[in-house]
Amino acid sequence: MEGEIKNLIKASLSVLASLIYCHFISSKIPKGKLRLVSLLPIFYLFITLPLYFSYLFPNAIASLFISWLANFKLALFAFDHGPLSCDQSNSLLQFIPKALLPIKIKQNEKYPSSQTPQNSPKLALNLATKVLLLTVLVGVNDYKGRFHQKLVLALYCCMVYLLVDIIFGVFNATVHAILHMELEPPSNEPYLSTSLQDFWGRRWNLMVTNLLRHTVYKPVRSSLGSLLGQWAPLPAVAACFLVSGLMHELLFYRVTRASPSWEVTLFFVLQGVCLVVELAMKRWFGGRWQLHWAVSGPLTVGFVMMTAMWLFFPPLIRSGADEHAIEECKMFFHFVKEEGLKWIGKLI
C-alpha cells in the first residue's frame, strides 16, 4: 500500500505539471496541427500513466480519466474546441479539473444537455443511497456460490452502475464544493431507459457520451454529410460505439493484464449496430409507432444486461478482476469504517 501511495503522488505531480504546461504553453500556440504536435508528449504520458499502479481501482480510474477522457479533451483543445477551449475563460484552477475529471458544466451553450423525455418515469437515487446499495451488494456477493450464475451477473450489472455513478458523483460533489461550479449529474437513471437511444444518449455515463459526441460523432457526420445526407448520423453513431469499444478494450487490458479477447469491443459494436437499426426504424416510421414505456423499458434494460453478461463480464471473470475489485471495495469500506470510528471517538 505504501508503494501505491508513492506511485499515486508521482503520477499526480506528473499530471499536474503536464496540465500546467498545456495551460500556459500549448494554449499560446496557434490552434491546429502545431498545437496538436505540442501536446503529443502529454498524450504519450497520459496513455502510459496507469502502468504506475498495481491496484485495480487506481489503474482503472487513471485509464478512464487520464488515458481516455483527458486525452480526448486535449485533442479537442488542440483545435480550440471543447471544455478546455480558450473561449471558455478557463483559469488554471478551472482548467485542471475540467481536463482531469469526468465533469460537465451545466447548461453550456456549446454542449447543451441531452433532454430526457418528459413522459418518462422518475426514480432518482441520491449518492448516499447508492453507497448504501453498493455496500449491501458487496456483502451479498460473499454468498454468490449459492446463486445461479445469471443472478450473479445481474448483481455485477448493478454494481458496475453504482460504482461508476458513485465515483463520478464524488468528483462532481468535490469540484462543486471547492470551485462552486454547477455540474451536470454523471447519469440520469439509466435503469428507467425506454430505448437504446435513451439509454446510451440521454441516461448512461453522460460525460463520456458528450465527449464522444464532439470527438467522434460530429466529425464523422460532417465528413459523410455530403455523401449520405440525412442518413449520415447512422455511421457516425456506429463510429462512436467502435471507438468506445476500443477504449474499453484498452481499459480492460490495463486492468486484467491479459491479451485482448475483443469481447468488450464486440459488446459496444453490437450496441451500436442495434442502435443504428433502432434509429433507422424510427426514421422509417416517423415516430408513428412506439411501445409504452412499461414494455420498452424492461426490453431495453434487459437487452443491455443480457449482452453485458454475454460479452462484457467474461474477460473480467476469467482474469479474476471481478474478485480483485470486490476485495478492494471491502478494503476501502473497512478503512472508512475504522477512520470514522476513530473520528467519532475523538469527538466523544
Side-chain angles (χ1 to χ4, degrees):
M1 179 64 75
E2 183 179 346
E4 194 76 354
I5 293 174
K6 289 181 179 179
N7 289 336
L8 178 61
I9 294 172
K10 291 178 182 177
S12 299
L13 292 175
S14 299
V15 170
L16 181 61
S18 299
L19 294 178
I20 290 173
Y21 162 81
C22 293
H23 184 262
F24 287 110
I25 306 298
S26 291
S27 62
K28 304 300 186 291
I29 299 173
K31 64 181 180 180
K33 294 180 181 179
L34 286 178
R35 187 184 293 182
L36 183 65
V37 170
S38 74
L39 294 171
L40 291 180
I42 309 302
F43 292 145
Y44 175 77
L45 173 64
F46 283 7
I47 288 172
T48 58
L49 199 69
L51 300 176
Y52 278 94
F53 303 109
S54 56
Y55 280 81
L56 185 144
F57 272 109
N59 192 319
I61 291 173
S63 295
L64 175 59
F65 287 13
I66 300 173
S67 295
W68 181 357
L69 301 184
N71 269 345
F72 275 42
K73 291 177 192 176
L74 289 175
L76 287 173
F77 170 67
F79 298 93
D80 211 23
H81 296 306
L84 306 180
S85 62
C86 295
D87 62 353
Q88 295 293 319
S89 302
N90 290 316
S91 67
L92 180 61
L93 288 179
Q94 293 175 327
F95 186 91
I96 290 174
K98 282 184 180 181
L100 186 58
L101 301 178
I103 60 174
K104 180 174 180 287
I105 307 300
K106 186 175 288 187
Q107 295 179 343
N108 189 312
E109 293 181 0
K110 271 196 168 185
Y111 303 93
S113 305
S114 299
Q115 297 298 316
T116 304
Q118 294 181 356
N119 61 348
S120 62
K122 293 288 182 182
L123 184 61
L125 300 174
N126 60 31
L127 187 60
T129 304
K130 291 171 185 174
V131 172
L132 177 60
L133 286 174
L134 179 62
T135 306
V136 171
L137 293 181
V138 168
V140 169
N141 185 75
D142 290 340
Y143 304 95
K144 69 179 183 180
R146 304 178 183 179
F147 303 147
H148 191 277
Q149 180 65 14
K150 289 289 190 294
L151 186 57
V152 174
L153 291 173
L155 181 74
Y156 281 4
C157 290
C158 297
M159 292 174 72
V160 166
Y161 158 64
L162 292 170
L163 268 172
V164 171
D165 230 39
I166 288 169
I167 292 171
F168 281 42
V170 166
F171 283 111
N172 260 23
T174 303
V175 172
H176 175 72
I178 296 174
L179 299 178
H180 307 292
M181 292 180 179
E182 289 297 322
L183 305 174
E184 292 198 355
S187 67
N188 182 23
E189 305 166 15
Y191 43 84
L192 297 179
S193 301
T194 56
S195 67
L196 290 177
Q197 182 183 19
D198 190 28
F199 182 91
W200 293 110
R202 302 187 185 101
R203 291 186 179 273
W204 171 248
N205 211 344
L206 298 177
M207 175 62 220
V208 174
T209 299
N210 183 68
L211 199 55
L212 287 170
R213 183 178 295 119
H214 295 285
T215 53
V216 181
Y217 175 81
K218 286 188 174 182
V220 173
R221 187 188 65 179
S222 177
S223 63
L224 296 177
S226 59
L227 180 64
L228 299 178
Q230 64 174 346
W231 297 101
L234 299 186
V237 167
C240 287
F241 279 90
L242 175 60
V243 171
S244 180
L246 293 172
M247 296 309 297
H248 277 86
E249 199 74 56
L250 175 62
L251 192 155
F252 274 39
Y253 171 72
R254 295 279 175 73
V255 167
T256 63
R257 303 296 170 93
S259 298
S261 65
W262 304 107
E263 289 164 285
V264 69
T265 300
L266 180 57
F267 168 77
F268 283 97
V269 169
L270 177 62
Q271 299 296 318
V273 169
C274 292
L275 178 52
V276 165
V277 172
E278 179 186 291
L279 293 172
M281 294 289 288
K282 287 180 178 179
R283 189 179 292 268
W284 181 267
F285 286 105
R288 293 186 299 273
W289 183 76
Q290 187 174 354
L291 291 173
H292 190 273
W293 64 263
V295 177
S296 62
L299 287 176
T300 300
V301 176
F303 174 77
V304 174
M305 291 180 66
M306 290 302 295
T307 51
M309 294 176 188
W310 173 35
L311 294 169
F312 189 88
F313 290 110
L316 299 175
I317 294 172
R318 284 196 302 268
S319 67
D322 58 327
E323 295 295 339
H324 289 306
I326 291 168
E327 287 303 314
E328 288 184 19
C329 279
K330 290 180 180 178
M331 288 171 54
F332 178 75
F333 291 152
H334 178 74
F335 172 78
V336 171
K337 178 183 176 181
E338 292 297 316
E339 292 300 313
L341 291 174
K342 289 180 183 177
W343 184 73
I344 292 172
K346 290 179 180 179
L347 290 178
I348 296 175

